[in-house]
Amino acid sequence: MELFAVPDLPEIEPGDDLAALITERVDLRPDDVVCVASTVVSKAENRVKALDDFPAGPRAREIATELASITGETKDPRFAQAVLEESTELLIEAPFLLTETRFGHVNVNAGIDRSNVAGGDLLLLPKRPDESAERLREGLVADRVVVTDTCGRPFRHGQRGVAIGWAGTPASRDWRGERDRDGRELTATVESVVDELAAASNLVAGEGAGGTPVVVVRDFAFGDHQGSDELFREIDDDLVRQAIREWRFRG
Ligand code: GDP
Ligand code: MN
Ligand code: MN
């Protein structure tokens, strides 16, 4: 398997045809996986917003005041309003905001970025990343597309790429029922392939001014396995999120 960044992509503007910009720069093959940073998907889909687009309601003002008192920094209640509007559930409101986005992904600040946002204050995640991935796929020779974001994780320091949308591939490959080297049957392992592809592509894309938001994964074989599209856990099946619902920050 080989990964390489698509060279010379411009600053992406609302309305840009990302698939065409990619196709002009690389000779894709049908079995390539094209991994695209959500940042540029959002820019193309005009998810660039101004803080003034989010007049703060009472809840957002309350959250911003509480955050400011904990962190000692001023917090813009319009930012809190944007996070609330992008979310279906506020899981943690102090000392930072952790929410479930409208498409089921749990992330700090609903994944709203304030870096690499030309021409605006905020960059929201794509509204429906699966649909974004599918639209991109239709415009590309490559059959598989993953939309990624850089995201933190519990238990460990550091961030890495995760998949927030995908098309043309199952999210996971299911090893259950297959055997290990000792002949023991695997009973639990469902491997999140789209997250692994996203982490690898994020490693190539970088986080700063590199200008390489699109990475091609060549010669990755999914193999002969059952696939599954489950990625985001539902609350009934998510013990960590259940625990967080009960938790309160106490300084
Ligand atoms: P995120 O992980 O989706 O939030 O995206 P990042 O902000 O970490 O950016 C990932 C990569 O895309 C970095 O190499 C950035 O320099 C690059 N990038 C971000 N926006 C643009 C853009 O509009 N055009 C180009 N060419 N690169 C961009
Ligand atoms: Mn991001
Ligand atoms: Mn990133």
Side-chain angles (χ1 to χ4, degrees):
M1 171 177 133
E2 175 195 1
L3 290 91
F4 58 90
V6 175
D8 304 322
L9 284 166
E11 180 64 32
I12 303 303
E13 310 277 354
D16 276 354
D17 183 344
L18 270 181
L21 290 169
I22 295 166
T23 301
E24 285 160 13
R25 286 166 175 78
V26 284
D27 281 323
L28 290 173
R29 302 180 188 167
D31 69 344
D32 287 339
V33 188
V34 176
C35 299
V36 187
S38 52
T39 295
V40 290
V41 176
S42 293
K43 286 177 180 173
E45 294 178 358
N46 199 17
R47 301 280 283 159
V48 182
K49 304 289 172 193
L51 279 164
D52 277 341
D53 294 335
F54 300 95
R59 187 79 178 94
R61 287 200 296 272
E62 188 181 281
I63 288 168
T65 305
E66 191 190 355
L67 281 175
S69 76
I70 291 166
T71 63
E73 293 162 18
T74 52
K75 294 288 171 184
D76 195 316
R78 296 170 299 176
F79 183 77
Q81 182 68 33
V83 172
L84 290 176
E85 289 184 22
E86 284 297 291
S87 305
T88 53
E89 184 179 1
L90 181 58
L91 284 159
I92 295 181
E93 57 181 271
F96 56 85
L97 300 175
L98 183 77
T99 74
E100 179 177 349
T101 64
R102 296 191 174 281
F103 59 93
H105 171 54
V106 174
N107 198 353
V108 173
N109 292 336
I112 299 175
D113 266 346
R114 306 184 81 164
S115 62
N116 283 326
V117 190
D121 305 315
L122 307 176
L123 190 60
L124 313 185
L125 287 179
K127 218 173 213 144
R128 288 260 153 220
D130 277 343
E131 291 172 17
S132 307
E134 182 56 38
R135 276 196 299 276
L136 275 164
R137 193 175 84 97
E138 283 162 15
L140 296 169
V141 167
D143 287 334
R144 298 177 284 180
V145 171
V146 178
V147 176
T148 72
D149 194 22
T150 307
C151 204
R153 58 263 171 91
F155 310 119
R156 290 166 178 262
H157 289 293
Q159 303 187 318
R160 52 79 178 90
V162 296
I164 60 168
W166 58 95
T169 173
S172 305
R173 60 184 173 193
D174 191 343
W175 293 85
R176 291 173 299 180
E178 300 188 35
R179 302 207 169 258
D180 73 5
R181 291 163 63 84
D182 301 318
R184 194 186 299 263
E185 186 174 322
L186 301 174
T187 57
T189 309
V190 180
E191 181 189 15
S192 174
V193 167
V194 288
D195 277 342
E196 293 177 313
L197 292 167
S201 73
N202 200 70
L203 186 63
V204 175
E207 301 294 345
T212 47
V214 182
V215 173
V216 177
V217 182
R218 181 153 291 170
D219 292 331
F220 166 67
F222 186 88
D224 183 20
H225 302 271
Q226 289 293 317
S228 152
D229 257 341
E230 290 192 332
L231 188 68
F232 307 123
R233 283 187 191 274
E234 301 291 338
I235 187 74
D236 297 345
D237 172 42
D238 190 339
L239 302 183
V240 175
R241 194 144 41 120
Q242 289 172 25
I244 288 172
R245 275 184 173 177
E246 305 296 315
W247 177 83
R248 282 281 165 281
F249 180 70
R250 291 187 193 86

